[in-house]
Amino acid sequence: MLKISAGSADLGALRAPALALLLEQSATPALGTLDRAVTAAIQRVIAARDFRGTRDETLHLLGTENGVERLLLVGMGKVTDRFAALKRAASIAARRANQAGFGRLAIFAGDVTADDAEVIALGAIAGSWDMKEFQTPAPEDERRAPLTEVVVLSANSPAAQQGIARGRAIGDGHSLARRLANLPGNVCTPEYLAETAREIADRYGMQLTVLGRAEMEREGMGSFLSVAQGTPQEPKLIVLEYRHGGDRPPIALVGKGLCFDSGGISIKPAQGMEWMKFDMCGAAGVLGAMEAIGQLRLAVNVVGLVGSTTNMPSGTAMKPGDVVRASNGKYIEIINTDAEGRLVLADVLVYAKRYSPAVVIDALTLTGACVIALGHTATGLLGTDDVGI
């Protein structure tokens, strides 16, 4: 796990393998007591316009043997949203440091508040995140040391440390969601998601309920089970309850957890089908959110619900034209078996009603048509509460 801490902003006393300077476009950095030779080198490259501070621009300079050994200049562009700019620049800095094998990185961004430190920590966690557990290791002489420590430099270290703690919690939630999403479908099964939820519950004292096939049959969840009938893997309805908000009604987070979606009998094209391991990203997001909420110890009531199975073609799989009965008594005719997400979530949403939630937030990869309509930089959002949206 990446260690993140706050440190003194006295650059003259800094001893570090690498220092990242997060700089706005066309701004003159206030480097204080940083070594004169290093400061002069930075000023020269800026004056020569070798580094202009444009967004995502980077420049690597050598420092001194006994102080800051390397410098990484990272441009933030013309900043209109300081938090977003700091997060992005910190992410780039951490990624470069991880790739270069620096091991330890100090980050300086001028006067850093607690909120600034939070987004810098969040960016550093995102940028240094890597997933190598399913990769063949490189030869020993080609390996570089991973980034293991980041120090956020601030004139007010206690305040910065508070921000870092918040960033750490949110970043750990992001990292958990990213790892779950990227796991192959033969590893990230419904049982694996249930076990992940169990670990979260144990860490933060949450109440966990897991329903399997037999329990769902007793609940009359014919809609959910119609998808699960094509696979021998045990389907799971996972419920995590976090209760620290008194008598207030909870927020319900609902996530679609299709660990692989072949489309079923209405099978998808072979090209790109491996991407359908990502059909459980809604579930990954819910579990990541519950991890962050637990770390932050928020004074709220939250119920996280995940409906997880796989959608496979088999001799027992649902067929176009089948009619199933959901747990609320509604009958559903299945026209296309690749519409499995709404079949699973129909019963999960009915189950969520028993918690009388104040609001339900449903996260799911429901249809590729959303990408066709909005592209890869926008997310589709709809609902009945204009204020919430």
Side-chain angles (χ1 to χ4, degrees), residues 292-324:
I293 290 165
Q295 276 199 46
L296 289 167
R297 300 178 181 178
L298 299 180
V300 294
N301 294 323
V302 182
V303 179
L305 302 99
V306 167
S308 184
T309 185
T310 56
N311 185 23
M312 301 295 289
S314 74
T316 60
M318 61 178 173
K319 308 174 295 298
D322 285 358
V323 176
V324 297

Side-chain angles (χ1 to χ4, degrees), residues 44-93:
R44 283 197 301 273
V45 297
I46 292 175
R49 296 179 64 78
D50 292 332
F51 179 82
R52 305 183 183 190
T54 57
R55 193 176 79 155
D56 301 347
E57 181 184 3
T58 60
L59 183 66
H60 183 189
L61 300 173
L62 287 177
T64 61
E65 187 174 351
N66 298 317
V68 176
E69 298 173 23
R70 307 172 187 86
L71 287 107
L72 181 64
L73 310 186
V74 183
M76 295 195 294
K78 295 180 179 179
V79 175
T80 56
D81 183 338
R82 178 168 169 80
F83 294 153
L86 285 173
K87 178 183 173 184
R88 187 180 182 95
S91 175
I92 291 171

Side-chain angles (χ1 to χ4, degrees), residues 3-10 14 104-107 112-114 116-118 120-121 149-165:
K3 178 183 177 182
I4 309 177
S5 60
S8 170
D10 182 1
L14 182 63
R104 181 172 178 267
L105 176 69
I107 296 179
V112 171
T113 66
D116 291 338
E118 176 183 333
I120 290 172
E149 183 178 0
V150 167
V151 179
V152 180
L153 304 182
S154 171
N156 187 346
S157 293
Q161 194 62 53
Q162 291 178 1
I164 288 169

Side-chain angles (χ1 to χ4, degrees), residues 103-323:
R104 181 172 178 267
L105 176 69
I107 296 179
F108 180 75
D111 293 330
V112 171
T113 66
D115 291 339
D116 291 338
E118 176 183 333
V119 295
I120 290 172
L122 191 53
I125 292 170
S128 64
W129 185 86
D130 205 353
M131 188 172 178
K132 294 185 176 179
E133 59 192 285
F134 297 101
Q135 297 179 17
T136 302
E140 188 70 36
D141 60 349
E142 295 180 14
R143 298 179 194 175
R144 295 179 184 266
L147 182 65
T148 57
E149 183 178 0
V150 167
V151 179
V152 180
L153 304 182
S154 171
N156 187 346
S157 293
Q161 194 62 53
Q162 291 178 1
I164 288 169
R166 296 195 300 268
R168 163 99 275 164
I170 299 168
D172 284 350
H174 286 178
S175 296
L176 174 61
R178 292 175 78 178
R179 181 179 180 276
L180 291 173
N182 280 278
L183 285 173
N186 61 321
V187 174
C188 186
T189 61
E191 178 59 39
Y192 190 96
L193 292 179
E195 183 58 34
T196 300
R198 190 169 292 111
E199 292 169 359
I200 294 171
D202 290 344
R203 276 196 294 274
Y204 306 113
M206 300 182 192
Q207 182 177 332
L208 175 68
T209 303
V210 179
L211 276 61
R213 199 184 300 267
E215 292 84 359
M216 284 190 265
E217 286 174 352
R218 286 195 291 271
E219 293 285 342
M221 296 184 176
S223 183
F224 189 148
L225 290 172
S226 69
V227 180
Q229 72 188 46
T231 175
Q233 289 183 344
E234 185 80 355
K236 300 292 182 183
L237 197 164
I238 305 160
V239 184
L240 275 170
E241 297 180 55
Y242 174 89
R243 301 282 186 176
H244 288 275
D247 296 331
R248 287 175 290 178
I251 297 166
L253 305 179
V254 179
K256 174 185 172 184
L258 267 291
C259 294
F260 190 80
D261 177 21
S262 69
I265 297 298
S266 307
I267 197 164
K268 296 176 182 289
Q271 184 176 1
M273 193 192 286
E274 69 275 13
W275 290 89
M276 296 317 297
K277 71 176 186 176
F278 291 109
D279 214 19
M280 42 63 65
C281 282
V286 168
L287 293 175
M290 298 305 289
E291 168 70 29
I293 290 165
Q295 276 199 46
L296 289 167
R297 300 178 181 178
L298 299 180
V300 294
N301 294 323
V302 182
V303 179
L305 302 99
V306 167
S308 184
T309 185
T310 56
N311 185 23
M312 301 295 289
S314 74
T316 60
M318 61 178 173
K319 308 174 295 298
D322 285 358
V323 176

